[in-house]
Amino acid sequence: MMPSNPHFREAPGFRRLLIFGAGGFGREVAWLAEQAWGDSVERMFVVDRGEYLSDPIHGIRVELLGTIQASAESAYVVALGDPAARRRAATACCQAGLAPATLSHPRAEISRSVVIGAGSIVCAGCIVTTDVVIGGHVHVNLDCTIGHDVRIGDFVTLSPGVHLSGNVHVEANAFIGTGATIINGRPGSPLVVGEGAVVAAGACVTRSVDPGTLVAGVPAIRKR
């Protein structure tokens, strides 16, 4: 029987995972790593400001980025939902000499024809079908589905329960809210969610969305 997630590696190539951001999604990413590798990979939360330091969270240390020594045994992901904040954090981690990890939960279903960029996270319960390209530092949160021939740009956020039908392109820095649905485009004429656009929670997108705009409702209409 073919594995449901051939992108999952029991030996990930690093022994310490640095999770930038110690908030709610950071704790979920720590759980993902625990589910994937147990105690064989050390987990550490990383923050960039002293006021975010705290006692260990679920037994996981919280450290300042500036105190981290880069090594071949460490890799990072950014667990910040806002695409712009994630981009800034990834830049800071890169400047600190850290390498991005790519995480996919062992209970995600992902085909071999899917490409996943460095720094991206695919959470539990997701289904990613065929001929899909996911860029770098993308969040594919819990229980998302991604259909054939989808293209997702760098630093995109798919919130929990997002459904992308086939032939959809989501451009860089877009944010798709919880439970949003985007209907299919056509071969050679994809439905496009433009760069930096925001799709509100629960929206049903039936036509392309202009860059930098907010759409909401069923069917989704432009709000700003």
Side-chain angles (χ1 to χ4, degrees):
M1 181 176 179
M2 296 286 286
S4 62
N5 182 3
H7 297 265
F8 171 69
R9 296 289 181 266
E10 292 186 4
F14 52 84
R15 297 182 62 85
R16 182 173 66 166
L17 179 66
L18 307 173
I19 303 167
F20 191 107
F25 191 59
R27 286 180 277 124
E28 291 182 340
V29 171
W31 170 74
L32 187 162
E34 181 183 37
Q35 292 271 299
W37 302 299
D39 294 330
S40 66
V41 172
E42 177 190 4
R43 295 161 294 154
M44 181 185 298
F45 292 118
V46 177
V47 296
D48 60 350
R49 294 166 59 180
E51 58 263 40
Y52 297 143
L53 286 172
S54 71
D55 293 332
I57 299 171
H58 301 315
I60 303 170
R61 290 182 294 149
V62 183
E63 301 287 349
L64 274 174
L65 177 61
T67 67
I68 302 297
Q69 295 293 320
S71 78
E73 293 193 343
S74 296
Y76 79 91
V77 289
V78 181
L80 303 177
D82 177 70
R86 193 182 319 141
R87 183 181 289 273
R88 290 192 297 269
T91 298
C93 288
C94 181
Q95 291 172 344
L98 301 172
T102 302
L103 305 185
S104 59
H105 195 282
R107 290 199 303 275
E109 297 185 39
I110 307 174
S111 82
R112 293 184 180 278
S113 66
V114 173
V115 176
I116 305 175
S120 291
I121 302 168
V122 182
C123 293
C126 292
I127 301 174
V128 188
T129 63
T130 185
D131 299 305
V132 172
V133 176
I134 297 172
H137 301 282
V138 172
H139 287 179
V140 183
N141 217 306
L142 299 163
D143 292 327
C144 292
T145 63
I146 300 176
H148 62 87
D149 301 297
V150 166
R151 301 291 182 267
I152 300 176
D154 297 342
F155 296 97
V156 166
T157 296
L158 303 186
S159 301
V162 166
H163 301 297
L164 305 182
S165 299
N167 290 300
V168 168
H169 290 187
V170 182
E171 296 183 342
N173 308 311
F175 184 96
I176 315 297
T178 298
T181 301
I182 300 178
I183 71 162
N184 57 291
R186 299 187 303 277
S189 182
L191 188 154
V192 178
V193 177
E195 181 172 355
V198 176
V199 176
C204 180
V205 176
T206 60
R207 58 185 178 180
S208 291
V209 177
D210 290 334
T213 60
L214 166 67
V215 298
V218 181
I221 60 173
R222 181 170 175 171
K223 296 295 185 179
R224 72 164 192 263

